[in-house]
Structures are given as C-alpha cells and as structure tokens.
Amino acid sequence: MRKILLITVLSLTLFSCSKKENTASIDDLINAKNVKELQAKKALIQADLAKIDEALATLDVKVDEALVSVIAVKDTTFNHYLEIQGSVDTKENILIQPEMPGTLVSLNVKAGQKVSKGQILGRVDDGGSSQQVANLETQYQLAKTTFERQKNLWNQKIGSEIQYLQAQTQMISLQKSVAQAKAQLSKTVIRAPFSGTIDEVFVERGQVVAASQQGLMRIVNLGNMYVSTSVPETYIGKLKVGTEVDVFLTSLNKTYKGKVRQVGNFINPNNRSFGIEVGVPNPDNLLRPNQVAKLKIIDYTTKNAIVVPTNVIQEDGKGDKFVFTAVNVNGKTGTAKKVLVKVGQSSDNVTEILSGLSSSDVIVTEGVNAISDGMKLNF
C-alpha cells in the first residue's frame, strides 16, 4: 500500500511538472546534466513524501503491521480425556419381598424413615410356626438330658452301647429339627438387608402379602453410589481399576471426583464395548439412581508437554499444520514467523505439539488470520 501511494504521488508530481510551460522533463534534465533543476524537482518530491508519511502516521491501522495477542509456550502436563455418558446407580436399592406369604401382622416403618441393617421392618403371620418351635425345643431338652445321663452311665460301663448311640442320635435329630423350625420361623420376620432409607411403602398392616413385582417397600442407601457405562473396546488397555474420573452431573451442574472400581471382562459383540463402574462419593446425598452423568476419563497423559490453543493451528495448501510465532521480540513488537508443527491429541481446547516448537517460544494466539510471514506485529 505504501509503495502504491508513493508511485501515485510521483506520477501526479511528474504530470504536474510536465504541464508547466518551458519546464523540461526529468529525462531531458538528466541528459542535459542540469543539476540545479534536478535538485529542485527532488525537493518537491521529498516534500510530498513527507506529507504522505505524516498522513500515514495518523491512521489507526498501520500498513504491513498487525495488532495481535501472544503467549509464551511453557512445558506442562497434558491430559487427554475419553468423554462418555453414564447413569448413576447403587447396588443398595432394592424392593423388600416377604419370604413367606401370609397376613402382615405388623409394619414398623414408614416412607422416609432411616433404618439400620438387621432392623425389623414388619412381621408376617407365622401360622403356628412359633408353637412348633417351642414344642421341638422341649423335646430337644428332654433328649439332651437323656443323652447326658446315658453318657454318664456309659462312662461307668453301665448299660449298652446301643442305648448310648440311640440317645445321641435322638438328641442330634431334634437339635436339627429345632434349627430348621427356627429358620422357617425367621422367614416371617422382615428385616432391613442394609442400612438406608425407606423410600416407599406399598402395603398396609393386615394385608395379605406375598412375593410380587411391586414388593412390600423400597429401601435405598445413597452412600455407595457409582456410575455405570460402556466403553469402546479400543480403550481396553487404557482403563484399569483406580483410574481417576471426573463425573459431571448435568442436573446438579456439579463435578465429582471418582475412580474406576470395576472393569468388565466381556466384550459385547453387538456394540464392541465393555462395561465399567466408577465409584462416586456422595457426601451431600445429592446423587440419585438413574441420574445422567458425563464422564471424563484420562486415557493419555504426558509430562513436560508443549501445548497450544487448538484454534491457533492452521493448515496450508499442502496440508501441513503451522502456527505463527513472534520473533525478534522487542518490548511490545516483533515479527511474524510461520512455523510448521506436528500435532498430537487435542483435549479441552488445547493441542499437544509433538515437534516444531520449543519451550519459551512466543506464539500468536489472537489475530492469526490477519497476519502473514514476516509481517510486523504489535502486542
């Protein structure tokens, strides 16, 4: 642009001079070796050039210069993430079922109540099982006493061995019958399988109950939450138990730190993926089963890596990747230099540079589309 203006001014000056009467052309003056006239014409041209320079100095945008932003490249740790979607769940979220059908004679809890493991939630009518247990226990005590007396006699060489063995067999048989009857009776007692909260109760006291799809009540423990998802089989060598995971809950707009606690050993042939479970802490009890979660799993990491913003990397007509650096930096000015680079993986809007840049290089981050190699930079 500067050269065009200079040529235009020179042309206008020469045209003006050629119009003057009795004024020779520059070629004629040179041929005539008229030093005085040549010096006069030079002075006129230099005066016009001074006016042009003064005008350009007042313009907002300087010719062949660009205003940009730059940063110095530094060694840093680069992490690449696998981003997938999963579902929050807990293994302690079940429907309580009665082990024996019958009339629900007691119901000790209500929705929202916290319970501890083993706590009695209700009872089903035992149908006379408790009386049977009491009868068998009486028989067992008699058999036990008989065996002990027979044993004392046998130790004194009194009585026969067959009497001793019969007494022992009778006692053991009744002992097993008592245990079996107690186990059957215990099935009428409904207990909490783990500590948690009664989320819903579907029955009422006095109702005839049996195992069903609805169950008696739902118990949930939010202290052992995890996120389950499927991962493409290409990552099978990159994930292991203990790998840290960022778990973002869209509904809460909150990120939790979790760890892979289980890696599946089976590849689903339908989608070529395997399952994983990521344990997630739930100190505030905000996580709920079936919430949607977004997982960020580190599958690649490099220490002392050189990274640049992804948007500064450009591609030329040959398909080569390049960035602009600022060289000959002096204060807030420098010169643009096109540098070919080899790129690696990208994550979080930054890209790893495998070759082409070194630590402390200054790269152009803003204004890259308005500059060219060798252009003067202001920043």
Side-chain angles (χ1 to χ4, degrees):
M1 180 63 73
R2 186 184 182 94
K3 293 179 178 178
I4 294 173
L5 290 173
L6 290 174
I7 293 171
T8 303
V9 171
L10 287 172
S11 300
L12 291 173
T13 303
L14 293 174
F15 179 79
S16 176
C17 291
S18 65
K19 291 291 184 179
K20 292 184 179 179
E21 199 173 34
N22 299 325
T23 302
S25 66
I26 293 177
D27 291 336
D28 292 339
L29 293 176
I30 292 174
N31 292 331
K33 299 182 180 180
N34 192 334
V35 177
K36 184 177 180 180
E37 288 295 332
L38 286 173
Q39 289 178 339
K41 287 187 178 293
K42 180 181 178 181
L44 289 173
I45 294 173
Q46 287 178 336
D48 290 333
L49 287 175
K51 291 180 180 179
I52 293 174
D53 289 336
E54 184 179 353
L56 290 174
T58 62
L59 297 177
D60 292 335
V61 180
K62 296 183 178 181
V63 179
D64 292 335
E65 296 183 12
L67 181 62
V68 298
S69 296
V70 297
I71 59 170
V73 177
K74 296 181 180 179
D75 291 339
T76 186
T77 300
F78 174 76
N79 294 319
H80 182 267
Y81 297 91
L82 165 64
E83 298 188 21
I84 51 178
Q85 183 171 294
S87 177
V88 178
D89 205 349
T90 174
K91 295 188 183 298
E92 296 182 339
N93 171 26
I94 64 171
L95 294 172
I96 302 294
Q97 301 281 2
E99 293 188 76
M100 287 186 63
T103 303
L104 188 66
V105 294
S106 66
L107 181 62
N108 305 330
V109 294
K110 58 184 179 180
Q113 181 177 334
K114 293 184 181 299
V115 296
S116 56
K117 182 179 180 179
Q119 181 176 332
I120 297 177
L121 308 178
R123 291 179 184 271
V124 175
D125 181 26
D126 59 27
S129 296
S130 56
Q131 296 178 358
Q132 183 182 3
V133 170
N135 185 35
L136 287 171
E137 283 184 332
T138 300
Q139 295 180 42
Y140 167 71
Q141 291 299 328
L142 177 59
K144 182 179 179 182
T145 301
T146 302
F147 168 72
E148 289 175 349
R149 290 182 179 180
Q150 192 66 42
K151 182 179 180 182
N152 289 334
L153 291 174
W154 176 249
N155 290 337
Q156 297 175 30
K157 305 298 182 181
I158 301 173
S160 64
E161 182 180 6
I162 190 65
Q163 291 176 320
Y164 168 76
L165 293 176
Q166 286 176 343
Q168 184 183 49
T169 301
Q170 181 69 11
M171 181 194 68
I172 293 175
S173 177
L174 285 170
Q175 185 180 34
K176 291 181 178 180
S177 295
V178 170
Q180 184 178 5
K182 285 184 175 180
Q184 192 71 11
L185 181 61
S186 67
K187 293 181 179 181
T188 64
V189 181
I190 303 166
R191 298 180 182 272
F194 49 80
S195 298
T197 302
I198 303 299
D199 194 58
E200 295 177 276
V201 178
F202 307 111
V203 295
E204 296 181 359
R205 187 168 63 88
Q207 183 176 337
V208 177
V209 297
S212 64
Q213 187 174 3
Q214 175 181 272
L216 303 180
M217 60 194 74
R218 179 183 294 277
I219 180 172
V220 181
N221 182 2
L222 300 179
N224 187 21
M225 308 298 289
Y226 68 94
V227 177
S228 60
T229 187
S230 296
V231 180
E233 66 175 325
T234 52
Y235 291 91
I236 198 167
K238 300 178 181 179
L239 295 180
K240 60 182 180 179
V241 174
T243 300
E244 293 187 354
V245 181
D246 288 339
V247 181
F248 177 73
L249 275 298
T250 308
S251 58
L252 302 176
N253 194 29
K254 188 174 182 179
T255 299
Y256 292 81
K257 293 291 184 179
K259 290 185 178 181
V260 176
R261 72 180 194 183
Q262 181 178 335
V263 178
N265 298 313
F266 172 74
I267 301 296
N268 188 332
N270 296 324
N271 55 15
R272 310 307 306 173
S273 66
F274 61 96
I276 65 169
E277 288 184 5
V278 178
V280 185
N282 190 21
D284 303 323
N285 284 336
L286 295 177
L287 299 183
R288 296 290 188 275
N290 301 316
Q291 280 179 305
V292 176
K294 294 182 179 179
L295 306 182
K296 291 178 62 177
I297 307 174
I298 298 177
D299 64 342
Y300 170 78
T301 185
T302 303
K303 295 182 178 180
N304 301 322
I306 294 178
V307 298
V308 300
T310 303
N311 63 336
V312 308
I313 301 174
Q314 301 184 72
E315 184 175 330
D316 59 21
K318 299 179 180 179
D320 296 326
K321 305 288 186 181
F322 69 92
V323 298
F324 280 110
T325 63
V327 297
N328 302 324
V329 175
N330 184 13
K332 294 293 184 180
T333 63
T335 304
K337 180 181 178 181
K338 177 182 176 181
V339 178
L340 297 179
V341 294
K342 182 180 179 181
V343 301
Q345 300 193 64
S346 299
S347 181
D348 288 339
N349 299 319
V350 296
T351 299
E352 181 185 12
I353 301 300
L354 302 178
S355 63
L357 293 178
S358 59
S359 179
S360 76
D361 281 346
V362 178
I363 64 168
V364 179
T365 57
E366 293 184 16
V368 293
N369 295 324
I371 62 177
S372 59
D373 194 24
M375 181 178 287
K376 183 178 180 181
L377 305 177
N378 294 314
F379 41 82

